Amino acid sequence: GLIGNPMSGLHLGADLSTSTGERQTLSLPDGSQLVLNAQSQADVRFDSQLRVLEWRGGEGLLTVVDESRPFLVRIEGSTVSARSARLLVAERAGQCRVCALAGVLEISSQGGDRVQLRKVHAVNFDRVSIASVELLRPGEGAWVDGLLEVRDSPLSEVVDALRPYRRGVLRLDPAVAGLRVSGLFRLDQSELVFEALARTLPIRVSRHGEYWLSIGAV
């Protein structure tokens, strides 16, 4: 992997990507830093006037340095503008979320909606609409340290966070998807997470071969 390696020879349009269960810390050509979660992708388009990150999916923690040129993240038809900022970017199945950890962000949609995001605030959006701004959730961005912190969150959220860390099929019965979960889990140890959940929730975890796991009601 490229953990911690400056990507000094990065060419324009290079794809940055991580595979299942892999996190990477990457240096961008301008000195900004990007931490990519598992199964995440972005393209870099930098020139003398503009810095653009084309988001292709997954989660990232971006630390933008140098205010001399605008830095844009293009994600699902919307544009996030950041000059000197620290932000979390996420997109899975067309659902996007951006969190401002430091600095001020501006999000503009294809339809012309504009939202300003100040630190410790977040917003969800898709190609159609931008939701109202909300406060950062506790534990948001814990994946950077390989952790999943949830407080009274639906089981579906836990399962979705573990998907990029597992090969094969992970099936969740809608009947138990809304069960509430609180805890601190290790993303790299999903088998142990499922064992712990099966002990504390009314669920049954079934395995069918090496690459098929299903979670249903007891």
Side-chain angles (χ1 to χ4, degrees), residues 186-201:
R186 290 201 169 275
L187 291 166
D188 299 317
Q189 297 177 353
S190 59
E191 286 297 322
L192 295 180
V193 176
F194 291 128
E195 285 175 23
L197 292 173
R199 284 197 300 270
T200 55
L201 296 174

Side-chain angles (χ1 to χ4, degrees), residues 89-202:
V89 181
E91 185 277 321
R92 299 269 182 200
Q95 298 301 308
C96 309
R97 183 172 175 85
V98 170
C99 311
L101 303 180
V104 180
L105 310 176
E106 191 168 275
I107 302 168
S108 52
S109 72
Q110 275 178 326
D113 288 344
R114 296 176 92 81
V115 169
Q116 199 176 72
L117 212 55
R118 298 188 175 275
K119 69 176 184 178
V120 307
H121 286 81
V123 69
N124 295 322
F125 56 95
D126 55 25
R127 282 194 173 272
V128 180
S129 61
I130 301 178
S132 51
V133 172
E134 59 185 46
L135 278 171
L136 208 63
R137 296 173 192 153
E140 202 148 12
W143 61 262
V144 173
D145 299 313
L147 299 172
L148 170 63
E149 184 180 338
V150 289
R151 299 188 191 180
D152 194 35
S153 299
L155 177 59
S156 57
E157 198 173 294
V158 175
V159 170
D160 285 342
L162 291 170
R163 286 186 197 279
Y165 287 83
R166 293 185 61 85
R167 300 184 195 284
V169 176
L170 176 50
R171 189 182 168 279
L172 177 64
D173 186 337
V176 295
L179 291 172
R180 312 311 285 185
V181 181
S182 296
L184 185 65
F185 307 104
R186 290 201 169 275
L187 291 166
D188 299 317
Q189 297 177 353
S190 59
E191 286 297 322
L192 295 180
V193 176
F194 291 128
E195 285 175 23
L197 292 173
R199 284 197 300 270
T200 55
L201 296 174

Side-chain angles (χ1 to χ4, degrees), residues 58-90:
E59 293 85 26
L61 168 63
L62 178 63
T63 304
V64 178
V65 299
D66 174 23
E67 295 196 13
S68 61
R69 288 176 294 167
F71 196 118
L72 307 177
V73 181
R74 294 203 175 118
I75 172 171
E76 278 294 298
S78 294
T79 301
V80 182
S81 175
R83 282 201 179 247
S84 180
R86 198 157 173 264
L87 58 149
L88 288 164
V89 181

